[in-house]
Structures are given as structure tokens and as C-alpha cells.
Amino acid sequence: MITALIVMAGLALVLGATLGAASVLFRTQGDPLVDKIDAILPQTQCGQCGYPGCKPYATAIAGGEADINQCPPGGDEGVRKLADLLGREYKPLNAEHGIEKPKSVAVIDEATCIGCTLCIQACPVDAIVGAAKQMHTIVADLCTGCELCVPPCPADCIDMVPVAETVENWKWRYPVFELKVQPATLPAKEAA
Amino acid sequence: MYNSPYLRQNTSVRRVMVTVLVAMLPAIAVQVWLFGIGLLLQIALASATALACEAAMLSMRRRPVARALGDGSALVTAWLIAVCLPPLLPWWMIVIGTSFAIIIGKHLYGGLGQNPFNPAMLAYCVLIISFPALMSQWPGLQGSDPATQLHWVLGGERALDAVTGATPLDALRTGLLGNADVSAVMQSAAFGHVAGAGWEWVALAWGAGGLLLLALRIITWHIPVAFLGAMALVSGVAWLIDPSHYASPAFHLLAGGTMLGAFFIATDPVSGATTPRGKLIFAAGIALIAWLIRAFGAYPDGIAFAVLLLNICVPLIDIKTQPPVFGHKVEPPDGGAR
Amino acid sequence: MLSKLFSFNGGVKPDPNKSLSTREPIARLALPPQLVIPLHQHIGGTPRPLVHVGDKVLRGQRIGAADGNVSSAVHAPTSGHVVAIEPRPMPHASGLSSPAVVIEPDGLDAAIEREPFDWHAAAPGEIRDFLRDAGVVGLGGAVFPSHLKLNPGKSGHTDTLVINGAECEPFITCDDMLMRAEPENILRGALIMQRMLAAKQVLVALEDNKPEAAAALKAAAQSLGHASLEVVVVPTRYPAGGAKQLIRVLTGIEVPHGSRSTDYGVQCFNVATALAVWRALEHGEPLTRRIVTVTGNVERPRNFDVAIGTPISHLFAAAGLKPDTDKLIMGGPMMGIPLPNIDAPVVKATNCLLASSPALFAPPEPELPCIRCGECARACPADLQPFELYWHSRARNFGRAQEYKLFDCIECGCCAYVCPSHIPLVDYYRYAKSEIWARERDKDAADSARERFEFRNWRADREKEEKAAKLAARNAAKPAVKPTDGSAPAADVAPSAGDDPMKALIEAAMARARAQKEAVAAKNTDALTPAQQAQIDAAEERRKRASELSGSNAPAE
Ligand code: SF4
Ligand code: SF4
Ligand code: SF4
Ligand code: SF4
């Protein structure tokens, strides 16, 4: 009996020590969690989450300072993925930070642009080209649709245009699966 | 809105299920001829219960009732339950078994196509565990008059000695427990040429129905061949080692539910393995476990338990036996582009 | 002599229905009042338009130039005037529009003068460029630019060149009729391809339900008398005409998804492509016409030789569309795509136009749950487990679907054809594939945005440091002068200016812009892809034109 106890206790000690040593020896470098979170965030870099970009928000989530439902461009799906990754409860997008919108790109009205470069400075991903006093243009492929360039423009010449569906990016729809006859009348059931 | 292919083969779940029902007819006829019309009453009762339960569950799950009822899958389950059970059981047992199969075995898992266990075998196991005595009473071969049979089905008193026609497997088990050896037991009246009087005919009729299913491409050869092959192999090896304690392969192939299991039960697509190699493993596994239960277990026939045990393994079997995809069978030349 | 044929697993045998459209010979269809020639008709980059609205074009004139090497040119099928260059509805399941050149024929059909090209003397690379500029793409439906495939690769030679005339889909007969009409020229094209690929043997394969075409080809092969050229008749089983399946049947080689068949020493072209190659090289004729089967629910099903860009309605008018038609399909009944718009043009990929009626193709019965019967797996020519793909695609579990090799699915439709539960299986695969592609696009965009954001932050930090260093240097030199920050006075001025806050803002902006002019203009255009560079160039162009215009005060063109 006593031998058994000693053996078990000894075993526990040895295993615990090994585990502890392993965690010190094989500690992962850097913080992969931040990168994993950052990989889920849409990289729009719009700051709607309250942080100056996606990476800072990712760091804040990893540090437990921010909630997972503050990124409107990531939308519902983004929240779900974060909840999955972090093993947290899903929660709907926090409307304080904005609502999910269809993806848009900024377009500069080239006739009105005065070449002030203010939008260039605002753009987090260098999607605007142009030089002082010359007309500016947005490279649509690079624009993330963050809208940060819209307010600084003194001539009010930047519009957000939703990305149009084209033959190239058109998607096949989810096939309708019409097995259910009528929509579930849950409220009635609850009342009963 | 639907897209290509716009051409469809003329086939449907209903067609598949009706073919299975038709293929069951020869064996049902032989059993009725041997044991009387009890089986027909049982089939009618099971069918009615199954359809009623199916309809109730579908409407509770808000699915289109008429369409799903028409697919015939509930009827196949009902008929399989009815033919597995000894005829002339009291009606409430049929009702319990069938509704268990449909409600718990099928719809609680999500309905057609979703059930991990063979519903008919689930019902059989529930009944044999709950009512072992009733489940081992097979009527005598000579049969009794329809009125008495009806009386029993309605739950009336049973004159026990009139139902003593133990199945060959039962007889073998009792005999062996009584230290008799196999050949001695086989001499007794219950045994016909190989596997008990009349039973060979039932088994052969199941086999004939199975061949029909094979010919109509409802099932593939994998499951029956692996099932019967494995059964013959294990029983043959044991029989060669000790013929006085283990029955011959011929007996095992023709006795009990072997043929029914090989062609109609293990081939249930929903709860069975789907890959070709997986089917072989699945069926061989059932045969092996069924033989083990027959030879060493506490129940006379173990096919139902074996099927359920292998049902649990199906996801694993399927994952491990995925057939190679076109172009991925051999290494590309010079280890190249992949 | 090919001693042995192989076979592929699965496949189905639907009713071929081919005799409908083989009764009449190919008819040359008159030109429509307007031709709509989409710029993007093939796999790869969208060609740049070479003409302007109002230009006069001649038959065979290049109107769109290949954009890079993975692209192909487009040409005017007749002479006339360009009346518009604008997005027009495409023959695509989406019914969306793409840029197209609209030509009004002048009825003269005057051809452009051909530059002589002696392909016998030309290097393979030159021939490939010529074919690219002649717009030759695969005409079997995949429309992959042919010049890219006519390259033997590293090894410098190919074992087998397969010319695909199997045409396994029901209803379609355009290749069949072409093989009957021009067997010699097809084979001559094949021999040119053989030379380019340095192929040891050429196998012209067709299904055994086309005896006339087989006889014609065999006779032509005899008269050409090439020992390495052989006409092979393969058993009829859909999809024997799929490139991978046909290669398997003829050579036993299985080319996996995502690999090039040249790596396996095989290359496969459609018969019509072989003919297009011959015409381009021998006669200098670019690809501007093709054979289209018009069949199904029409009065006079037959094959038409039509100019690319002809509106589909024009073909159906010629064949007599029956009134009870409920939908139009481009391609065959197994793999065809729905055509939402009858005015979309015939493109290089249009092999068949099929009118459907409820009697011809009954709408499928309602979908039931999958019973895992495995019929689909037995029918799948790609040896997939379609029900597993379906299961994961339906659950939007795309990772698992890819593990079950979703992208090896050739969308042949055999699985849905046999499914007793009437599940539109292929629709689920198409959905899953396009979702996965969309996600990959999003991910690439996000990655590039992250990179550029990080680069920008790094640059901002560096600039701050540089500025601080400069400031320190200046402060050391002239300690009395206080540096002015551009935005600070603007903020003070703006409210007091009142009448024109905008102007103040602009001035402030300009001040700041001056300070940063060099840095900004030069540095944010690093690391651009060619496409982005092109976009920027275009913008610069516009900008130049705009400033020219404002300089001269001339009205816009
Ligand atoms: S809200 Fe904007 S900045 Fe914040 S994580 Fe989302 S995309 Fe990035
Ligand atoms: S161009 Fe405007 S909307 Fe687009 S990424 Fe830059 S700042 Fe955001
Ligand atoms: S054929 Fe249909 S029902 Fe059968 S396994 Fe395939 S998808 Fe399921
Ligand atoms: S459509 Fe895809 S999964 Fe279905 S049979 Fe064809 S290749 Fe197989």
C-alpha cells in the first residue's frame, strides 16, 4: 500500500518535472497566437476596431484587452473564426464599432482632385498614387476599402464604390436544399 | 434553379427500396410455408407501425411527409425487423421494436441517410436483451392453425410446448452445454440435411433474393462475398481443429441469419462502409464477430450485435480505406509535379 | 500499331441523341447585323483592344492583342466598322457582362493583307508566337491557349500526341461533322503539332458511335501515309472524351489534377484545334469561325459554321427554336452551362447550343438525403467519393472537401446522373470550388495589404527618424528659428477664416505636401505587380491627357 503510494507520488514528481523542463526548453519563440489572430483579420487596416490596424488589434485580443467582435470588415464569419481559434463563445458583431458592409474600393474623381496628397498620407496600404498638385488615382487591386482616405479629402472627391460582380469573380450559389416544408414556427411552440 | 447534368438516369431511392422488398419475397414465402402465416401478420404490423412512426417523426421535424414516406426506406426497416424476429410474437413487441428502430434508431440521428446504426438490428438487439425468453421461441415446424396463431399474436396465453421448435442454433447451443458433441446434436429431429429442417430452404431463399439484388446492381459483391467467405473460413478452421465442438462451415453458412445478414443486413448502405476495401473489412468483421458469439457467446445468433459493433467502426474503416484518386495511384514520373 | 486500349473506372452511358444533328451537313450561317466579339474568350489574361470606336476593320484583323504570354489574340471575323467597345452580356452562367468589341459588318467581307509566314522554316518559338497572335485556343471547351501546350518542355520531345475527336457528350456533333468534312486538314494540323512537340506517335481517337467520321479519318490517314499517325476507335462511354480519360484509355497514363500532361510525355488537343492550327499556319487564317451544334428543342437541329461573335439568338432563329423551350444551355446536357441571355455571342468555347424543354430534360425530382449507396462513387471517372465531397461541400467544410480531392473532380456530372436521391451533386462542387477560389483571392489580398501596411509603417518610422535627425542638424545651425508644423497653424486659422475653411485646409495640406513631396511620390510605388504598374501607367496617361487638355483648354475628344 505504502509502496504504491510512494511509487505513484514519485512518478507524478518525475513526470511533472519533465513537463516543466520541457515547457522551459521548448518554449516557442515569438507569439504565434498574435500571428494566428492576425491571419484571420481581414487586413483592411481601417482602425474601426479602435486600434491602429489589424496587427495591434490582434495583439490586443491575444493580450485579453480586446473582445473578438470589434472588426466590422471581418464580419460575422471573422468573429466565428476567432471564436473557434480562441475557444471562446461566439458573439455578434459589436455595433459600436460599425456594421458589416459589402466590400468597396475608393475611387477618386480625377476631374475634381486637386492633388493635395492628403489621401496618400491617410491610406494605410499605399494604394493611392500621385504627387503634389497632380491628380491622384487609387489602384483598385490594392485598395482594402478602409475609407480612411475619404474624410481627409478637402475637395470631397473620393467615393466608396462597392466591388462589382464580374465574370471573373462571380461565384456559384449554394444549391437550394428544400427539404424543410415550412419555416419552423418556434414562437408558437414556445407559447404552447 | 438547377444546373447540369440535365440528364438523369431513371432511378430513385424508392426504386431501390422497392427492389429490396421484392428481393425479400422468396424467403418470406418459404418462411410462411414453413411456419405459417404468423410472419405475414408480423410484417403487416411492423409496416403499419413503421409508417406511422415515420409520418409522426417527419411532421414533428417539419419535413415533407408524403415525399419521404414514399421513399420506402421505413418499409424496408419494418420488413427486416419482421423477418428477424421469431414469428408469433405478441403484437406489442413488434410495435416496440419497430417504433424504437424508426424513432430512436433513425430519426433521432437525423432521419434517412444519417443513422450510424442499422435500425433493424438496433430493434432486434433491444428486444433480445429485454425479452430473451420470448425471443427464443420459434414455432414448431408443423405449425399451428391460423386461429391459434392470431390468438398468440394478440398476446393471448401461449401453450409453451406448442412453440418448442427451437432453432438449430439454439438446439446446438443447448446440446453443447449439455456436453453432447456436435454430431450427436445434429442427429436430433430438429436438424435436416445440414442446418436444421427447413432452415436450409430459408437460407437458400435469402441467397436467391441476394443474387437478384446483385444482378440489379443494388448491392455490390464485396459485402456478401467477404461475409460468407470470412464465415466459412473461421468456422472451417475451428471445425477442422475440433469437429466435435464446432459446427461445420456448411452449417454456419446456412443456419440462422447468415444469408439474410450477408445479403440484406450488412449491405444497408447508410450504416455500412462505403469504400470497396472498407466493405470487405466491414463484412468480414461482422462474420468473425458473429461466429465468435455463436461459438462462445451467450446468445444463439450474434449477427445483430456484430453488425452494430462494426457500424461503430465504419467512419474509421472508411477513412482508412479511401481508394486512390485518378492520377494519384502511382508516383508521378521523376518525382515531379505534384 | 496500338495493340491495347486501357479503360478508366466509372463513367455512364446516357442516350447519345447525336443523330438529331448529323442528318444535315454543316451549314455556313449568314452574318448577323452585329457581331459582339468578347475580348476575353480563353483562359489567361484579357487582351488589350487594338481598335477604337469608329475604326474600320477587315476580316482577320487583330482587334485584341494577347496580354502577356498566357493569353491569346482576338480577330474580326469580317470587315466592317467598330460601333462600340463596351461590356456586353457573356455566354456565362452568371449572365454578367464583359468588355467586347461590337462590329457592324459592311457586307464586303474584305480580308486583311496577310503577312507571309513560312512555318516550315520558323523556329518553334516563332510558331508559338504566331499561333498566339492568331488566337488559336483549345476548341474542345477548355479554351486554353494552344501555343502554351505546343511546347515539349524540358525533355524536348513527347511520346504521344492525342487528337481528341471522342466527343462523348450526348447531343453534341460538331467535332463529328468536322471530322467527316475535313479529315485531311485535321490530320495535317495534327502533323504540324507532332513536329512542334517532337512527338513519336499521333493517335487520333474517336468513339465507336461515329463510324462515318472514323472511316473518313482512316481514309485520309491512308492517303497522307504517315506511319506514326493512327486513327483509334475507342468504346463509347461518357466521359471518354475528357482529356484525362482519353489519355488513360489510349496510353494507360493517369495525369493527376494540377500537373501538365507533357510531364507524362502526352499532350492532347481537340480535332477542331488541330484544324485551326493548320488553317492559321498554312493559310494565315486566324481563328474567327467555328462549328456549333444547335440541337435539342429546335425544329431543324444541325451544325452551323458561324463567325465568332454571332449572337446566339441568330443561331436559334436559323434552327427554329420551339415555343415550349424553358431554358438554353451552352454545351451538352451533362456539363453544359445555363445561358441566361439569348443575345450573348458565340465564343471560341461554344461547341453546342442546346434548347431544353420540360419534355426533353425533365426537371429533377426533389432532392432527398444521401443514402450513401455509393452509386456515385462507382460512376465517378476520377475515382472520387462524390458523396463525401457533397457532404463536406454542403456543410461548407471546404478544407475537408479538398482533402477528399475536390479539385480532381472534372465536373463531368456522372455522379449526379446516377444518384437515386436526385442530389444536384455537381452544383455543390461548383459552389465549393468557387467559394474556395474566392477565399484564396481574399487571402492573397489580405496578405498583400498586410505587407504594404507593415512596409508603410516602417517607412513612416524611418521618415520620422530622418526628420528628427535633420531637425537636430538644423537646430544646431540656427538655434533661434522655430520650425513650423504645417497642420498646427491651419487648425488655428480655419475657424477664424470662417468664410473659406476649405481653402485653409488645402493650403495647410499643400504646405505639408511640399515638405514630403519627394518621399511620398517616389516610395509608395515600390513592389508593384505588372498589373498594378499597368493600372498606374494608365492613370498617368489620363493625367497627362487631362493636363494637356486643361493646358490648351480644348474640349474633350
Ligand atoms: S476593424 Fe479594421 S483595423 Fe481593425 S482588425 Fe478589422 S480590418 Fe483591421
Ligand atoms: S485608397 Fe482609401 S479606402 Fe482604399 S485602402 Fe487606401 S485609404 Fe483605404
Ligand atoms: S449516389 Fe447519391 S445517394 Fe448514393 S451515395 Fe452518391 S450522393 Fe449519396
Ligand atoms: S462530377 Fe466530379 S465527382 Fe461527380 S462523377 Fe464527375 S468527377 Fe466524379
Side-chain angles (χ1 to χ4, degrees):
Chain A
M1 179 68 195
I2 295 202
T3 359
L5 274 179
I6 291 171
V7 167
M8 292 313 282
L11 215 60
L13 268 181
V14 171
L15 286 178
T18 323
L19 274 180
S23 73
V24 174
L25 278 176
F26 305 114
R27 204 204 328 252
T28 39
Q29 294 300 314
D31 197 348
L33 186 59
V34 172
D35 284 341
K36 275 190 200 150
I37 298 174
D38 195 39
I40 293 175
L41 296 175
Q43 307 302 323
T44 306
Q45 317 292 7
C46 61
Q48 289 183 76
C49 48
Y51 293 86
C54 302
K55 189 73 169 261
Y57 177 46
T59 318
I61 296 181
E65 294 148 33
D67 215 334
I68 55 171
N69 60 348
Q70 302 183 356
C71 170
D76 214 43
E77 202 185 322
V79 182
R80 274 183 209 284
K81 282 192 192 156
L82 286 175
D84 264 5
L85 174 71
L86 301 167
R88 292 207 210 151
E89 199 69 30
Y90 160 81
K91 49 178 87 172
L93 213 56
N94 187 344
E96 269 174 36
H97 294 273
I99 46 163
E100 195 176 347
K101 286 187 251 180
K103 171 152 174 19
S104 305
V105 291
V107 173
I108 295 183
D109 178 357
E110 291 172 3
T112 336
C113 171
I114 53 165
C116 68
T117 75
L118 285 176
C119 54
I120 294 194
Q121 294 162 50
C123 178
V125 292
D126 292 337
I128 309 180
V129 287
K133 283 210 229 156
Q134 294 198 326
M135 185 175 40
H136 291 14
T137 303
I138 290 169
V139 183
D141 287 0
L142 298 180
C143 174
T144 64
C146 69
E147 302 189 7
L148 290 181
C149 54
V150 177
C153 177
D156 207 8
C157 69
I158 306 184
D159 283 321
M160 299 305 295
V161 183
V163 180
E165 199 168 49
T166 65
V167 170
E168 276 76 38
N169 69 10
W170 178 80
K171 295 193 280 185
W172 286 91
R173 304 290 183 267
Y174 188 72
V176 253
F177 192 75
E178 33 117 0
L179 249 194
K180 281 212 162 78
V181 253
Q182 70 264 57
T185 45
L186 272 179
K189 216 161 128 195
E190 271 161 20
Chain B
M1 190 58 205
Y2 61 97
N3 297 308
S4 59
Y6 300 96
L7 277 177
R8 297 294 180 119
Q9 204 171 43
N10 185 9
T11 163
S12 66
V13 175
R14 181 202 185 95
R15 228 181 147 95
V16 171
M17 297 294 173
V18 169
T19 317
V20 174
L21 293 181
V22 169
M24 287 170 77
L25 289 178
I28 290 174
V30 172
Q31 277 197 34
V32 169
W33 169 61
L34 285 174
F35 303 111
I37 58 147
L39 179 61
L40 292 182
L41 294 175
Q42 213 149 297
I43 288 176
L45 199 53
S47 303
T49 316
L51 290 178
C53 290
E54 179 99 354
M57 289 313 286
L58 285 168
S59 67
M60 270 158 78
R61 294 176 55 216
R62 289 168 216 291
R63 302 291 149 121
V65 173
R67 191 200 301 167
L69 266 192
D71 67 28
S73 61
L75 279 184
V76 170
T77 306
W79 285 31
L80 282 177
I81 295 175
V83 296
C84 290
L85 301 180
L88 307 184
L89 284 182
W91 64 272
W92 47 268
M93 276 185 65
I94 312 281
V95 172
I96 290 178
T98 314
S99 42
F100 186 89
I102 299 289
I103 295 174
I104 296 182
K106 183 172 174 191
H107 279 285
L108 285 195
Y109 288 108
L112 178 66
Q114 315 279 322
N115 45 300
F117 297 109
N118 186 324
M121 291 303 99
L122 216 49
Y124 182 89
C125 290
V126 163
L127 290 179
I128 203 166
I129 292 171
S130 317
F131 312 101
L134 280 170
M135 287 289 285
S136 56
Q137 290 170 5
W138 281 75
L141 269 185
Q142 60 285 357
S144 43
D145 65 291
T148 328
Q149 294 193 359
L150 196 61
H151 178 65
W152 286 346
V153 170
L154 291 177
E157 254 332 282
R158 300 166 154 239
L160 258 190
D161 49 339
V163 250
T164 47
T167 67
L169 278 171
D170 267 332
L172 184 65
R173 156 167 315 281
T174 338
L176 287 178
L177 285 180
N179 273 334
D181 82 359
V182 169
S183 52
V185 180
M186 293 265 192
Q187 299 304 316
S188 66
F191 286 81
H193 306 287
V194 189
W199 284 93
E200 302 104 338
W201 295 112
V202 178
L204 289 177
W206 284 122
L211 292 180
L212 182 68
L213 290 185
L214 267 177
L216 294 176
R217 291 178 40 95
I218 302 289
I219 59 175
T220 57
W221 58 268
H222 303 80
I223 287 182
V225 166
F227 192 111
L228 299 177
M231 181 61 94
L233 192 74
V234 281
S235 57
V237 169
W239 178 65
L240 284 177
I241 292 172
D242 183 0
S244 66
H245 277 87
Y246 301 104
S248 70
F251 172 83
H252 275 292
L253 287 182
L254 292 175
T258 310
M259 285 289 175
L260 172 64
F263 286 100
F264 288 84
I265 290 172
T267 51
D268 169 37
V270 175
S271 56
T274 50
T275 63
R277 271 191 306 144
K279 283 178 180 170
L280 296 180
I281 296 173
F282 174 75
I286 295 178
L288 178 67
I289 296 181
W291 179 82
L292 285 174
I293 296 178
R294 279 182 185 180
F296 307 108
Y299 292 100
D301 202 350
I303 295 204
F305 291 103
V307 167
L308 294 186
L309 281 176
L310 264 294
N311 281 164
I312 301 175
C313 309
V314 160
L316 186 68
I317 296 177
D318 273 352
I319 285 176
K320 293 287 172 207
T321 56
Q322 282 299 313
V325 170
F326 185 94
H328 300 276
K329 287 162 199 169
V330 285
E331 284 298 302
D334 51 273
R338 233 266 50 201
Chain C
M1 205 51 210
L2 199 65
S3 54
K4 177 173 173 243
L5 286 181
F6 298 81
S7 100
F8 60 93
N9 294 334
V12 294
K13 288 185 179 169
D15 192 353
N17 275 308
K18 300 224 185 217
S19 55
L20 279 178
S21 48
T22 54
R23 282 184 218 125
E24 309 269 348
I26 299 171
R28 196 177 163 99
L29 195 65
L31 284 171
Q34 250 191 10
L35 290 163
V36 179
I37 299 142
L39 286 167
H40 194 212
Q41 300 190 28
H42 49 259
I43 297 195
T46 305
R48 285 171 283 120
L50 293 173
V51 289
H52 297 282
V53 175
D55 284 2
K56 188 169 162 32
V57 293
L58 295 170
R59 169 157 58 84
Q61 181 178 342
R62 196 138 48 99
I63 56 176
D67 172 39
N69 202 31
V70 188
S71 183
S72 192
V74 284
H75 301 78
T78 185
S79 60
H81 288 90
V82 177
V83 295
I85 300 177
E86 61 187 15
R88 285 296 182 101
M90 287 295 111
H92 186 260
S94 66
L96 289 169
S97 299
S98 268
V101 176
V102 184
I103 295 176
E104 237 166 48
D106 55 14
L108 304 174
D109 202 26
I112 194 166
E113 203 178 318
R114 288 182 187 123
E115 299 160 32
F117 181 74
D118 181 12
W119 65 271
H120 297 275
E126 286 167 10
I127 304 182
R128 282 197 285 276
D129 288 352
F130 185 85
L131 289 175
R132 179 192 66 209
D133 295 337
V136 178
V137 298
L139 294 175
V143 283
F144 191 80
S146 299
H147 64 278
L148 296 171
K149 282 167 71 184
L150 282 168
N151 191 338
K154 286 188 296 284
S155 65
H157 62 86
T158 310
D159 292 329
T160 309
L161 167 64
V162 175
I163 302 295
N164 185 347
E167 197 170 49
C168 54
E169 252 202 83
F171 287 94
I172 309 181
T173 57
C174 58
D175 290 348
D176 185 2
M177 297 308 282
L178 193 67
M179 287 185 284
R180 292 189 207 182
E182 292 193 61
E184 286 95 359
N185 295 345
I186 290 173
L187 296 185
R188 288 190 186 115
L191 291 172
I192 298 177
M193 291 173 155
Q194 179 188 24
R195 212 189 78 156
M196 292 182 71
L197 286 168
K200 291 193 195 107
Q201 58 171 352
V202 184
L203 302 177
V204 184
L206 69 175
E207 282 188 331
D208 57 13
N209 60 3
K210 303 177 192 58
E212 297 92 343
L217 281 173
K218 280 185 175 148
Q222 203 122 54
S223 67
L224 284 177
H226 259 269
S228 57
L229 185 108
E230 193 183 330
V231 177
V232 187
V233 175
V234 302
T236 299
R237 180 156 52 110
Y238 178 83
K244 285 169 197 285
Q245 279 66 35
L246 189 62
I247 289 173
R248 159 87 199 161
V249 168
L250 295 175
T251 64
I253 295 171
E254 292 189 1
V255 181
H257 166 76
S259 333
R260 289 167 311 167
S261 56
T262 18
D263 294 344
Y264 293 77
V266 207
Q267 194 55 281
C268 180
F269 291 92
N270 180 267
V271 282
T273 316
L275 185 65
V277 166
W278 184 76
R279 283 199 181 142
L281 292 176
E282 194 67 29
H283 297 299
E285 278 178 28
L287 181 62
T288 58
R289 304 186 71 88
R290 70 157 297 147
I291 314 289
V292 177
T293 308
V294 184
T295 182
N297 198 38
V298 292
E299 307 282 355
R300 300 171 294 278
R302 76 183 295 173
N303 282 278
F304 293 101
D305 175 4
V306 293
I308 284 161
T310 306
I312 284 167
S313 51
H314 195 65
L315 278 89
F316 276 125
L321 196 60
K322 288 189 193 164
D324 61 336
T325 301
D326 64 344
K327 66 162 65 182
L328 304 175
I329 298 158
M330 180 168 109
M334 298 298 284
M335 293 178 77
I337 55 162
L339 281 180
N341 195 327
I342 194 171
D343 290 318
V346 165
V347 290
K348 293 176 183 175
T350 311
N351 51 0
C352 176
L353 294 168
L354 186 58
S356 147
S357 72
L360 196 59
F361 304 123
E365 286 171 50
E367 176 178 346
L368 285 173
C370 166
I371 54 169
R372 292 165 43 94
C373 66
E375 272 302 322
C376 48
R378 267 181 271 166
C380 178
D383 301 330
L384 295 162
Q385 298 282 303
F387 54 92
E388 302 276 11
L389 295 176
Y390 154 69
W391 187 255
H392 296 302
S393 301
R394 187 162 88 88
R396 297 183 172 85
N397 199 343
F398 302 125
R400 296 281 280 153
Q402 274 175 282
E403 278 171 34
Y404 280 99
K405 302 237 176 343
L406 173 65
F407 283 97
D408 282 74
C409 164
I410 57 170
E411 294 177 29
C412 66
C414 291
C415 50
Y417 177 79
V418 299
C419 176
S421 285
H422 310 293
I423 303 173
L425 293 162
V426 190
D427 279 355
Y428 284 97
Y429 311 150
R430 286 190 273 246
Y431 159 75
K433 284 181 180 179
S434 62
E435 280 297 323
I436 293 170
W437 284 322
R439 270 158 215 230
E440 276 167 8
R441 280 197 299 270
D442 286 354
K443 192 171 170 303
D444 289 349
D447 286 348
S448 112
R450 180 187 298 118
E451 222 165 83
R452 296 180 70 80
F453 179 61
E454 278 166 8
F455 176 71
R456 181 181 180 275
N457 287 348
W458 172 81
R459 194 181 67 225
D461 286 349
R462 197 189 58 189
E463 269 162 22
K464 221 184 278 165
E465 272 166 33
E466 278 170 7
K467 226 190 210 164
K470 237 186 263 166
L471 205 63
R474 223 173 341 153
N475 278 353
K478 270 193 268 172
V481 181
K482 189 173 175 257
T484 42
D485 181 4
S487 61
D492 293 341
V493 170
S496 64
D499 56 337
D500 199 358
M502 174 92 80
K503 201 170 171 189
L505 267 174
I506 296 169
E507 264 160 14
M510 298 256 196
R512 207 151 24 128
R514 263 193 298 279
Q516 294 191 355
K517 183 173 170 181
E518 249 99 22
V520 171
K523 284 168 192 159
N524 74 342
T525 44
D526 298 352
L528 291 176
T529 67
Q532 290 158 354
Q533 188 60 49
Q535 232 173 332
I536 294 169
D537 290 348
E540 296 281 359
E541 178 105 328
R542 280 199 299 278
R543 179 175 298 144
K544 219 186 298 163
R545 230 185 300 160
S547 64
E548 274 164 21
L549 285 177
S550 62
S552 64
N553 270 333
E557 50 178 311

